[in-house]
Amino acid sequence: MYYVSTRDRLRKTTVSGAIAYGLAPDGGLYTPEAIPTLAGSALNTLKDMNYQQRALYLMNMYLDGYSAAELVGFCSRAYGGGKFDDPAVAPVRPVEEGTYALELWHGPTCAFKDLALQMLPHLLTAALRKEGENKTACILAATSGDTGKGALEGFRDVPGTRILVFYPKDGVSAVQEMQMNTQEGCNVGVCSVVGNFDDAQTGVKRIFSDPELKAELAGRGMFLSSANSINWGRVLPQIVYYVSAYCDLMKEGVLEKGDKLNVCVPTGNFGNILAAYYAKRMGVPFGKLICASNRNNVLTDFIRTGVYDRNRPFYNTISPSMDILISSNLERLLHALTNGDAAQVKGYMDSLAEHGRYEVSGGLRRNLERDFAAGFCDDEEAKKTIARVWNERKYLIDPHTAVAMNVLEQYRAETGDATPVLVASTASPFKFGPAVLEALGVSQPQQGLESIGQLAEFTGISAPAPLENLAGKRIRFDRTVEKDHMTDAIREMLL
Ligand SMILES: *Cc1c(COP(=O)(O)O)cnc(C)c1O
């Protein structure tokens, strides 16, 4: 199976080429030429497997040129060995009548990024070998919190790689900052940038196109690479947990094979919900895919009107990992919904770059409405949902998951659709302690690491070990640079 650029279908590569080099040279995203479909008996076969075996079976369908033996090793290293604090890796829990949470935060950094970033380093280093690339890959990442820590933890001590993460000095939560600055491993580096997330992100993009630095790195046997979700190696592992969740619900007798299940996903860059879409296209009986946004509701408007318009104010919310106005992975959905019409997709993306806006064709809009629904809520609504779900069900959710739960309530009220729903639960509530404590009505919520213990005490739920242990960790990184001096940090830490 070949992978094509979303902007030029003649630009083809193998899956190892797609994973090794991330972005296509024309700026498009590499996407499978055709989405493989599950055999009629596959869900029954998968039902009796554990998570690692399911990952092997499903990823193998996309990874030509990777041997089964290789993949067995990757799956057990990524998802076995106690890396996840639940043997199911991505367990499904009933929350209320017809609502099931897919808990994606049992990994080492307590957010759903772990499911992909524990696997990506294995896929990437193998892809580099297959492509005959023998330089050391230096992974650069700008992060608003969860991606950076997930990437650090995934790439730590992986031979043939170095990783350096930049975060905005005042743009991440105290817990997220501690998570990054205490990162262990011999090939890792962390640096904060004076400015906001956009400054850090722009700086990283500039570094990628700095010819002088590139030459210096090449002279030392290194090249720059990226770990963000434009890489197919991050989308693929996410398909696994959606198929896995359906199998778990079959196994528990909640669903019969073929029963419909809607999926509701708190969305930012559109990577997570895109994986649900691919699972549906593979043959999992998913109904509506409900795209939930916070006040940065550019996707809600797009799905409802067919107009994508990023010319709007940017809000900082209590669900920061969804504070985003350009959802990169939407480009892959446009590719699928236009049946790979690269000229059409390129036209939309050019318009987005030039005018910050595009409007899709009527045909595409109808396709979009067939598979997707959308909604959004603000911080106050999300907090009320955290309180309601806790008070009524004693189930504790983080602010991102709360956005999804709230949008689901709205969707049900508007449509009367009684199909059962799988809600992607994307982070541990202990990562966002202050906002959750406030939502629960605690009178003096602690702000920093103390919020972890306070939330545990208030709810009687123990915090995940990686967060609980943060307080005792040594700070290894405390470097801050001006946004125009990020290359200095690279030279210091890499050369
Ligand atoms: C990254 C993230 C999201 C958004 O996921 P996308 O794939 O970017 O849509 C939602 N919730 C949490 C907790 C995240 O870390």
Side-chain angles (χ1 to χ4, degrees):
M1 186 210 306
Y2 280 99
Y3 285 66
V4 293
S5 164
T6 45
R7 301 188 192 179
D8 179 359
R9 64 184 316 157
L10 298 178
R11 205 180 274 281
K12 289 185 189 190
T13 183
T14 57
V15 71
S16 48
I19 292 173
Y21 301 111
L23 204 63
D26 58 6
L29 309 188
Y30 284 122
T31 299
E33 204 169 24
I35 297 169
T37 48
L38 291 163
S41 56
L43 290 176
N44 276 326
T45 308
L46 286 161
K47 188 173 57 121
D48 299 318
M49 294 181 177
N50 67 20
Y51 193 85
Q52 287 92 311
Q53 292 165 327
R54 289 172 182 171
L56 169 66
Y57 183 107
L58 295 163
M59 296 206 324
N60 190 41
M61 296 172 76
Y62 288 88
L63 291 168
D64 290 350
Y66 286 70
S67 71
E70 240 178 332
L71 293 180
V72 168
F74 297 170
C75 292
S76 78
R77 272 177 277 159
Y79 304 127
K83 285 227 162 140
F84 284 72
D85 69 11
D86 189 303
V89 180
V92 179
R93 311 248 187 255
V95 178
E96 47 200 349
E97 182 68 34
T99 305
Y100 302 87
L102 170 57
E103 292 183 351
L104 299 172
W105 39 262
H106 289 278
T109 80
C110 310
F112 92 91
K113 307 292 194 291
D114 286 331
L115 277 300
L117 284 166
Q118 286 296 313
M119 178 57 74
L120 178 68
H122 303 298
L123 296 176
L124 180 71
T125 48
L128 294 172
R129 274 198 306 278
K130 291 175 205 295
E131 294 293 307
E133 180 65 79
N134 46 26
K135 293 204 228 26
T136 298
C138 300
I139 315 290
L140 289 192
T143 182
S144 59
D146 291 334
T147 299
K149 178 62 183 180
L152 286 163
E153 199 55 46
F155 279 96
R156 74 186 261 192
D157 298 326
V158 172
T161 71
R162 308 282 304 266
I163 172 155
L164 187 51
V165 166
F166 291 99
Y167 69 89
K169 181 76 196 121
D170 300 310
V172 299
S173 79
V175 170
Q176 288 174 321
E177 182 167 37
M178 269 299 275
Q179 278 188 299
M180 290 189 275
N181 286 343
T182 57
Q183 177 66 44
E184 291 161 10
C186 64
N187 61 340
V188 302
V190 177
C191 182
S192 63
V193 179
V194 181
N196 61 25
F197 171 66
D198 276 334
D199 296 322
Q201 168 124 302
T202 308
V204 164
K205 283 187 184 155
R206 209 163 21 192
I207 290 165
F208 270 103
S209 53
D210 180 337
E212 216 175 290
L213 185 69
K214 194 172 173 183
E216 265 178 75
L217 287 168
R220 308 282 184 103
M222 295 189 233
F223 74 102
L224 294 175
S225 182
S226 150
N228 59 30
S229 67
I230 53 169
N231 193 311
W232 178 251
R234 274 194 61 184
V235 178
L236 176 57
Q238 296 179 173
I239 298 173
V240 174
Y241 51 73
Y242 285 107
V243 183
S244 174
Y246 193 91
C247 292
D248 282 344
L249 288 172
M250 274 169 55
K251 197 168 181 171
E252 282 159 32
V254 174
L255 299 174
E256 298 272 345
K257 191 179 158 205
D259 285 352
K260 248 208 212 159
L261 179 69
N262 288 346
V263 182
C264 184
V265 184
T267 298
N269 220 5
F270 211 78
N272 198 357
I273 195 168
L274 179 74
Y277 173 78
Y278 286 134
K280 180 176 177 177
R281 288 281 301 268
M282 289 175 76
V284 180
F286 287 153
K288 278 279 189 252
L289 307 175
I290 304 164
C291 174
S293 300
N294 61 28
R295 246 181 118 194
N296 297 293
N297 59 355
V298 61
L299 286 167
T300 312
D301 290 346
F302 174 65
I303 289 168
R304 290 186 174 169
T305 68
V307 177
Y308 193 97
D309 191 351
R310 63 156 300 196
N311 302 303
R312 60 179 73 214
F314 175 92
Y315 300 107
N316 285 308
T317 73
I318 59 168
S319 44
S321 302
M322 296 154 69
D323 292 344
I324 183 159
L325 293 178
I326 299 190
S327 300
S328 318
N329 267 302
L330 192 58
E331 185 169 344
R332 286 196 168 102
L333 181 69
L334 297 175
H335 172 88
L337 294 177
T338 58
N339 290 315
D341 184 341
Q344 201 182 138
V345 174
K346 184 173 180 332
Y348 297 144
M349 291 304 114
D350 287 347
S351 173
L352 181 65
E354 200 173 331
H355 309 292
R357 171 184 199 286
Y358 60 88
E359 176 164 8
V360 298
S361 69
L364 199 159
R365 204 180 140 191
R366 278 188 295 282
N367 288 344
L368 189 62
E369 281 169 356
R370 191 190 50 209
D371 287 316
F372 289 86
F376 74 100
C377 76
D378 65 15
D379 285 352
E380 283 319 302
E381 293 300 314
K383 282 186 195 162
K384 277 188 212 155
T385 299
I386 292 173
R388 183 188 69 77
V389 174
W390 173 251
N391 292 331
E392 290 177 8
R393 304 288 163 172
K394 288 290 164 284
Y395 187 72
L396 190 63
I397 56 177
D398 93 290
H400 302 77
T401 309
V403 168
M405 290 281 191
N406 183 286
V407 167
L408 174 59
E409 288 166 22
Q410 297 179 42
Y411 170 81
R412 282 180 168 148
E414 279 164 27
T415 62
D417 185 348
T419 310
V421 181
L422 182 74
V423 175
S425 174
T426 50
S428 161
F430 290 91
K431 247 185 136 159
F432 302 94
V436 175
L437 286 163
E438 220 179 281
L440 297 179
V442 173
S443 55
Q444 286 187 316
Q446 301 278 351
Q447 287 307 309
L449 289 189
E450 295 75 22
S451 67
I452 296 172
Q454 193 183 18
L455 186 57
E457 197 172 317
F458 183 81
T459 58
I461 297 173
S462 29
L467 298 181
E468 202 163 66
N469 297 340
L470 269 182
K473 289 248 150 117
R474 186 170 67 87
I475 296 205
R476 294 186 64 204
F477 304 100
D478 61 358
R479 178 106 163 81
T480 302
V481 290
E482 297 293 330
K483 62 184 180 190
D484 297 327
H485 290 90
M486 287 165 63
T487 42
D488 298 351
I490 304 235
R491 289 199 169 89
E492 254 171 57
M493 297 173 114
L494 290 181
L495 298 176

